[in-house]
PDB file of all heavy atoms in Angstrom:
ATOM      1  N   TYR A 253      23.248  68.361 -21.553  1.00 96.00           N
ATOM      2  CA  TYR A 253      24.334  67.732 -20.797  1.00 96.00           C
ATOM      3  C   TYR A 253      24.810  66.478 -21.527  1.00 96.00           C
ATOM      4  O   TYR A 253      24.141  65.967 -22.437  1.00 96.00           O
ATOM      5  CB  TYR A 253      23.894  67.382 -19.373  1.00 96.00           C
ATOM      6  CG  TYR A 253      22.763  66.377 -19.303  1.00 96.00           C
ATOM      7  CD1 TYR A 253      23.009  65.013 -19.180  1.00 96.00           C
ATOM      8  CD2 TYR A 253      21.432  66.800 -19.359  1.00 96.00           C
ATOM      9  CE1 TYR A 253      21.976  64.101 -19.108  1.00 96.00           C
ATOM     10  CE2 TYR A 253      20.390  65.898 -19.298  1.00 96.00           C
ATOM     11  CZ  TYR A 253      20.674  64.548 -19.165  1.00 96.00           C
ATOM     12  OH  TYR A 253      19.645  63.641 -19.115  1.00 96.00           O
ATOM     13  N   THR A 254      25.963  65.992 -21.106  1.00 97.00           N
ATOM     14  CA  THR A 254      26.568  64.806 -21.710  1.00 97.00           C
ATOM     15  C   THR A 254      26.930  63.814 -20.618  1.00 97.00           C
ATOM     16  O   THR A 254      27.389  64.207 -19.541  1.00 97.00           O
ATOM     17  CB  THR A 254      27.830  65.169 -22.504  1.00 97.00           C
ATOM     18  OG1 THR A 254      27.472  66.090 -23.546  1.00 97.00           O
ATOM     19  CG2 THR A 254      28.470  63.944 -23.138  1.00 97.00           C
ATOM     20  N   THR A 255      26.705  62.541 -20.886  1.00 98.00           N
ATOM     21  CA  THR A 255      27.101  61.492 -19.943  1.00 98.00           C
ATOM     22  C   THR A 255      28.106  60.565 -20.619  1.00 98.00           C
ATOM     23  O   THR A 255      28.024  60.287 -21.818  1.00 98.00           O
ATOM     24  CB  THR A 255      25.899  60.660 -19.463  1.00 98.00           C
ATOM     25  OG1 THR A 255      25.270  60.038 -20.594  1.00 98.00           O
ATOM     26  CG2 THR A 255      24.896  61.536 -18.737  1.00 98.00           C
ATOM     27  N   ILE A 256      29.056  60.098 -19.811  1.00 97.00           N
ATOM     28  CA  ILE A 256      30.042  59.119 -20.270  1.00 97.00           C
ATOM     29  C   ILE A 256      29.986  57.942 -19.304  1.00 97.00           C
ATOM     30  O   ILE A 256      30.218  58.109 -18.103  1.00 97.00           O
ATOM     31  CB  ILE A 256      31.463  59.716 -20.290  1.00 97.00           C
ATOM     32  CG1 ILE A 256      31.497  60.958 -21.181  1.00 97.00           C
ATOM     33  CG2 ILE A 256      32.471  58.678 -20.790  1.00 97.00           C
ATOM     34  CD1 ILE A 256      32.824  61.695 -21.129  1.00 97.00           C
ATOM     35  N   ALA A 257      29.626  56.773 -19.817  1.00 98.00           N
ATOM     36  CA  ALA A 257      29.453  55.591 -18.980  1.00 98.00           C
ATOM     37  C   ALA A 257      30.392  54.481 -19.430  1.00 98.00           C
ATOM     38  O   ALA A 257      30.557  54.239 -20.630  1.00 98.00           O
ATOM     39  CB  ALA A 257      28.015  55.107 -19.023  1.00 98.00           C
ATOM     40  N   VAL A 258      31.008  53.806 -18.455  1.00 98.00           N
ATOM     41  CA  VAL A 258      31.881  52.665 -18.713  1.00 98.00           C
ATOM     42  C   VAL A 258      31.349  51.481 -17.924  1.00 98.00           C
ATOM     43  O   VAL A 258      31.121  51.590 -16.709  1.00 98.00           O
ATOM     44  CB  VAL A 258      33.332  52.955 -18.307  1.00 98.00           C
ATOM     45  CG1 VAL A 258      34.217  51.753 -18.604  1.00 98.00           C
ATOM     46  CG2 VAL A 258      33.862  54.192 -19.024  1.00 98.00           C
ATOM     47  N   ALA A 259      31.090  50.362 -18.588  1.00 97.00           N
ATOM     48  CA  ALA A 259      30.539  49.179 -17.932  1.00 97.00           C
ATOM     49  C   ALA A 259      31.386  47.965 -18.258  1.00 97.00           C
ATOM     50  O   ALA A 259      31.943  47.856 -19.364  1.00 97.00           O
ATOM     51  CB  ALA A 259      29.098  48.946 -18.365  1.00 97.00           C
ATOM     52  N   ARG A 260      31.478  47.048 -17.299  1.00 97.00           N
ATOM     53  CA  ARG A 260      32.287  45.841 -17.497  1.00 97.00           C
ATOM     54  C   ARG A 260      31.655  44.671 -16.752  1.00 97.00           C
ATOM     55  O   ARG A 260      31.240  44.811 -15.601  1.00 97.00           O
ATOM     56  CB  ARG A 260      33.717  46.054 -17.004  1.00 97.00           C
ATOM     57  CG  ARG A 260      34.654  44.888 -17.307  1.00 97.00           C
ATOM     58  CD  ARG A 260      36.045  45.139 -16.767  1.00 97.00           C
ATOM     59  NE  ARG A 260      36.985  44.100 -17.167  1.00 97.00           N
ATOM     60  CZ  ARG A 260      37.741  44.154 -18.238  1.00 97.00           C
ATOM     61  NH1 ARG A 260      37.678  45.231 -19.024  1.00 97.00           N
ATOM     62  NH2 ARG A 260      38.568  43.183 -18.553  1.00 97.00           N
ATOM     63  N   ASP A 261      31.557  43.520 -17.422  1.00 95.00           N
ATOM     64  CA  ASP A 261      31.076  42.295 -16.788  1.00 95.00           C
ATOM     65  C   ASP A 261      32.240  41.629 -16.064  1.00 95.00           C
ATOM     66  O   ASP A 261      33.314  41.425 -16.650  1.00 95.00           O
ATOM     67  CB  ASP A 261      30.494  41.338 -17.827  1.00 95.00           C
ATOM     68  CG  ASP A 261      29.218  41.881 -18.458  1.00 95.00           C
ATOM     69  OD1 ASP A 261      28.501  42.629 -17.765  1.00 95.00           O
ATOM     70  OD2 ASP A 261      28.960  41.561 -19.636  1.00 95.00           O
ATOM     71  N   LEU A 262      32.030  41.281 -14.791  1.00 95.00           N
ATOM     72  CA  LEU A 262      33.070  40.674 -13.987  1.00 95.00           C
ATOM     73  C   LEU A 262      32.938  39.157 -14.002  1.00 95.00           C
ATOM     74  O   LEU A 262      31.867  38.607 -14.254  1.00 95.00           O
ATOM     75  CB  LEU A 262      32.996  41.190 -12.547  1.00 95.00           C
ATOM     76  CG  LEU A 262      33.018  42.723 -12.381  1.00 95.00           C
ATOM     77  CD1 LEU A 262      32.889  43.093 -10.919  1.00 95.00           C
ATOM     78  CD2 LEU A 262      34.299  43.302 -12.973  1.00 95.00           C
ATOM     79  N   THR A 263      34.037  38.470 -13.714  1.00 93.00           N
ATOM     80  CA  THR A 263      34.014  37.009 -13.690  1.00 93.00           C
ATOM     81  C   THR A 263      33.143  36.483 -12.557  1.00 93.00           C
ATOM     82  O   THR A 263      32.722  35.334 -12.573  1.00 93.00           O
ATOM     83  CB  THR A 263      35.439  36.457 -13.534  1.00 93.00           C
ATOM     84  OG1 THR A 263      36.042  37.020 -12.355  1.00 93.00           O
ATOM     85  CG2 THR A 263      36.297  36.812 -14.742  1.00 93.00           C
ATOM     86  N   SER A 264      32.843  37.309 -11.581  1.00 94.00           N
ATOM     87  CA  SER A 264      32.000  36.901 -10.449  1.00 94.00           C
ATOM     88  C   SER A 264      30.533  36.791 -10.849  1.00 94.00           C
ATOM     89  O   SER A 264      29.713  36.303 -10.075  1.00 94.00           O
ATOM     90  CB  SER A 264      32.138  37.912  -9.308  1.00 94.00           C
ATOM     91  OG  SER A 264      31.657  39.186  -9.716  1.00 94.00           O
ATOM     92  N   GLY A 265      30.179  37.275 -12.050  1.00 94.00           N
ATOM     93  CA  GLY A 265      28.792  37.275 -12.494  1.00 94.00           C
ATOM     94  C   GLY A 265      28.128  38.618 -12.333  1.00 94.00           C
ATOM     95  O   GLY A 265      27.027  38.835 -12.843  1.00 94.00           O
TER      96      GLY A 265
END
Side-chain angles (χ1 to χ4, degrees):
Y253 62 93
T254 300
T255 60
I256 303 173
V258 181
R260 186 181 186 92
D261 293 330
L262 306 178
T263 56
S264 64

